[in-house]
Amino acid sequence: MNYEVKLELDKIIETSNNNITVTDENGIILRSNPEHWVMYGLEPGFYIGRSVYELEKEGILSPSINALVLKEKKIVRIMQHTQSGKVVMSTGYPVFNQEGRLIRVISYSQDQTEIVKLQEQYSQLESKVAGFQTEVEELREKDASDRPLLFRSTSMKQIFKTLQRVAPTDAAILFLGESGIGKSTLARYIHDQSERQKEPFIEVNCSTIPEALFESEMFGYEPGSFTGAQKSGKQGLIELADQGTIFLDEIGELPLNMQVKLLKVLQERKFLRIGGKKERQVNFRLITATNQNLKRMVDEGKFRLDLYYRLNVIPIHIPSLKERKDDITILLKHYLELLNAKYNESKKLHTSTYDLLIDYEWPGNVREMENLLERLILTIEEDMILPEHLPFDFKKNMQDSTWVLAKERIEKRNLKEVLEEVEIELLTKAYRECKTTYEMAEYLGLSQPTIIYKLKKYKEKLSN
């Protein structure tokens, strides 16, 4: 070989970014760049003139890519594991002379250790994410079971039928009604019954976000958009709801300037972060709710007419709890069981307390009921919740309703009928509250045989 050509070849191999090794037909190493063998834990200069077969036997090459090429006489690619703990990807190429005899093998090796570690970390991360997704789904299911749709009233049955029809669609829904009636529970139900159920459900209470922060919370911002902004920027709530559902509660509290931007997003399905120059695509299902008269707000110039029409595609009025007395019983039982389980308690409602809660008008609706029962379960030491444990408004209401009821009964002028009616009422309520006749006996302060006797005595009247 020409000396100058040899110098050029040696310099090319030495300075190459790839780790190159050249062997002859017997597997003897002729040339290689020094950095190559560092991966295998060898000192530079140790390898020239050595046989790859010897290095393979010593466990330095595991296996030898050049030996494999010599054996198979074709291009070979393998992953090697070195004694120093490295993972190396090697590719070997055969070189044939004019007569077709294999005279050289050239191999290239790349250290893949960091890449393999990253792949392992990525796989572990994927597993963790999958685990988190499972936990999120379980929490969603638990949340849905904690707040199921419970009703007996005719009005709620009709609303439920409407929800079942519209849930699979992407139509905008506007819930109307007083605060605390469970609009967020209904919004979650619609999301869970839609094709977007596995995507995010983002709930936003428009009345709790200060107007100065509303735009950044809803639309997010780019890095360095304003003083105090996060260096990495921030996704807005609308962006987080992409492919899922966004529920805007108390939509009547939305500032007018935000109404304009929300309308633009609904029309174009695009938005700009604060400080951003590139519009971002977004796709979500919109559900809104309010306890205000939006039509009146439109007339007063407090709410945009075009946005009102966008939101008011399927308006659904949810009656207050006092308008659907039939639902109070089932809701009381549900929240009492739920909260007892949550706090490992076994509290019960005394029949007089139960009467009071049934007759109460519940101005705070379902939210007030849940909060009251939670307070009672946590603060009352006795297992039986008595009327005296309740706030003044409840007891005052009880006195009024009890007097009216007593007056109606007294007017019958038949003591036997009055006593039978009272017994039937008490037995009926105990039957609703208790699971066994023993619990009913404790509930009413009677013996278990007496309970059985009275249940048989009033069997026909109780079944009615």
Side-chain angles (χ1 to χ4, degrees):
M1 179 187 296
N2 183 287
Y3 182 71
E4 291 182 355
V5 173
K6 179 180 179 302
L7 288 176
E8 288 178 2
L9 181 58
D10 288 342
K11 184 56 69 176
I12 290 172
I13 292 174
E14 180 185 343
T15 58
S16 173
N17 290 328
N18 288 309
N19 297 310
I20 304 173
T21 296
V22 181
T23 60
D24 64 15
E25 67 271 24
N26 298 313
I28 302 300
I29 298 172
L30 303 177
R31 290 183 174 81
S32 186
N33 51 343
E35 293 300 322
H36 183 176
W37 295 92
V38 174
M39 292 189 298
Y40 298 95
L42 300 180
E43 295 293 330
F46 172 83
Y47 43 83
I48 299 298
R50 296 290 303 276
S51 166
V52 293
Y53 297 108
E54 292 177 7
L55 296 176
E56 193 173 43
K57 285 180 181 179
E58 294 172 11
I60 296 172
L61 299 178
S62 180
S64 166
I65 182 68
N66 294 60
L68 286 173
V69 174
L70 288 170
K71 177 182 177 181
E72 299 185 19
K73 295 180 171 53
K74 64 179 183 179
I75 299 173
V76 177
R77 180 177 286 109
I78 61 169
M79 296 295 287
Q80 296 172 311
H81 295 271
T82 73
Q83 292 178 331
S84 60
K86 300 283 187 181
V87 179
V88 180
M89 184 177 72
S90 297
T91 307
Y93 298 88
V95 179
F96 299 95
N97 63 13
Q98 292 180 344
E99 289 78 29
R101 184 169 63 87
L102 194 156
I103 58 171
R104 296 285 187 273
V105 174
I106 302 175
S107 63
Y108 301 87
S109 299
Q110 293 180 324
D111 188 348
Q112 300 287 299
T113 307
E114 291 302 319
I115 294 175
V116 171
K117 285 182 180 178
L118 288 173
Q119 288 175 336
E120 290 174 353
Q121 291 172 1
Y122 180 72
S123 297
Q124 292 173 359
L125 182 61
E126 278 190 321
S127 299
K128 286 184 179 180
V129 170
F132 291 148
Q133 287 175 338
T134 301
E135 289 180 13
V136 168
E137 290 303 318
E138 289 174 353
L139 288 172
R140 283 179 179 173
E141 291 174 5
K142 183 179 184 301
D143 183 63
S145 64
D146 286 351
R147 298 178 178 274
L149 297 183
L150 298 172
F151 52 84
R152 287 176 179 162
S153 60
T154 303
S155 58
M156 287 303 296
K157 286 179 181 178
Q158 186 56 51
I159 288 171
F160 183 67
K161 289 180 181 178
T162 302
L163 295 182
Q164 286 181 310
R165 288 197 299 270
V166 302
T169 72
D170 264 353
I173 296 175
L174 173 62
F175 286 120
L176 304 166
E178 297 178 2
S179 294
I181 55 177
K183 296 188 285 286
S184 62
T185 300
L186 296 176
R188 164 66 77 175
Y189 171 80
I190 290 172
H191 174 75
D192 289 342
Q193 299 302 311
S194 72
E195 293 183 356
R196 298 176 183 264
Q197 59 183 272
K198 295 188 181 297
E199 302 300 332
F201 175 83
I202 304 297
E203 182 174 347
V204 184
N205 190 319
C206 299
S207 66
T208 61
I209 304 177
E211 184 172 349
L213 300 177
F214 210 98
E215 185 174 3
S216 63
E217 289 296 315
M218 289 295 290
F219 299 101
Y221 54 81
E222 297 294 348
S225 300
F226 52 86
T227 303
Q230 295 180 17
K231 293 181 179 180
S232 58
K234 181 181 177 181
Q235 283 185 311
L237 296 169
I238 283 180
E239 192 172 352
L240 290 172
D242 189 31
Q243 304 305 317
T245 302
I246 188 166
F247 171 52
L248 301 180
D249 198 5
E250 306 297 349
I251 189 69
E253 302 292 335
L254 195 67
L256 276 170
N257 62 325
M258 285 297 102
Q259 293 178 26
V260 176
K261 297 197 172 187
L262 176 60
L263 179 63
K264 184 176 185 295
V265 174
L266 295 178
Q267 289 173 335
E268 301 177 7
R269 298 292 175 179
K270 297 177 182 177
F271 73 98
L272 271 175
R273 286 183 178 182
I274 295 177
K277 297 179 181 179
K278 181 181 177 182
E279 287 191 316
R280 298 169 181 262
Q281 293 281 347
V282 71
N283 182 337
F284 57 82
R285 201 242 182 100
L286 177 68
I287 303 175
T288 54
T290 183
N291 60 0
Q292 302 187 55
N293 187 326
L294 290 186
K295 189 67 175 68
R296 184 186 302 159
M297 291 181 67
V298 169
D299 295 338
E300 295 172 352
K302 297 178 181 178
F303 203 87
R304 292 183 62 92
L305 179 62
D306 43 10
L307 179 58
Y308 172 72
Y309 284 129
R310 279 277 179 179
L311 305 182
N312 199 43
V313 178
I314 301 179
I316 298 178
H317 177 77
I318 312 299
S320 63
L321 204 50
K322 68 182 178 183
E323 297 176 276
R324 44 189 176 104
K325 290 285 189 180
D326 292 345
D327 294 341
I328 294 178
T329 301
I330 191 172
L331 289 169
L332 281 172
K333 182 179 180 184
H334 166 70
Y335 284 116
L336 190 66
E337 291 178 353
L338 179 69
L339 294 167
N340 268 326
K342 180 178 179 180
Y343 296 112
N344 196 27
E345 295 284 354
S346 56
K347 299 289 195 297
K348 295 177 183 177
L349 296 174
H350 188 275
T351 180
S352 299
T353 311
Y354 189 84
D355 279 336
L356 166 63
L357 299 180
I358 292 293
D359 291 336
Y360 185 60
E361 291 194 349
W362 298 106
N365 294 290
V366 180
R367 185 180 300 140
E368 182 184 9
M369 178 187 290
E370 184 179 4
N371 291 343
L372 172 71
L373 291 175
E374 186 168 21
R375 185 196 322 161
L376 292 172
I377 286 174
L378 290 175
T379 59
I380 303 304
E381 293 183 1
E382 297 88 342
D383 284 340
M384 188 67 69
I385 300 174
L386 303 172
E388 63 195 60
H389 296 138
L390 301 177
F392 174 76
D393 289 344
F394 287 82
K395 288 182 280 191
K396 180 178 182 299
N397 183 70
M398 183 61 176
Q399 291 168 359
D400 295 342
S401 62
T402 301
W403 167 246
V404 171
L405 183 60
K407 185 179 179 183
E408 290 175 353
R409 285 172 175 161
I410 292 170
E411 287 174 352
K412 292 183 177 180
R413 302 177 185 279
N414 186 318
L415 180 60
K416 183 179 179 181
E417 288 182 2
V418 172
L419 292 176
E420 281 190 356
E421 186 178 335
V422 171
E423 277 197 327
I424 290 169
E425 278 194 19
L426 293 176
L427 285 167
T428 300
K429 288 168 184 174
Y431 185 77
R432 289 172 180 164
E433 291 289 319
C434 305
K435 296 179 181 179
T436 67
T437 53
Y438 290 99
E439 288 187 10
M440 290 180 66
E442 181 185 353
Y443 186 82
L444 295 174
L446 300 173
S447 67
Q448 194 254 357
T450 301
I451 292 294
I452 293 176
Y453 167 75
K454 290 185 179 294
L455 289 174
K456 289 180 179 178
K457 178 182 176 181
Y458 298 119
K459 181 177 180 181
E460 293 185 2
K461 293 182 180 180
L462 285 171
S463 63
N464 292 332

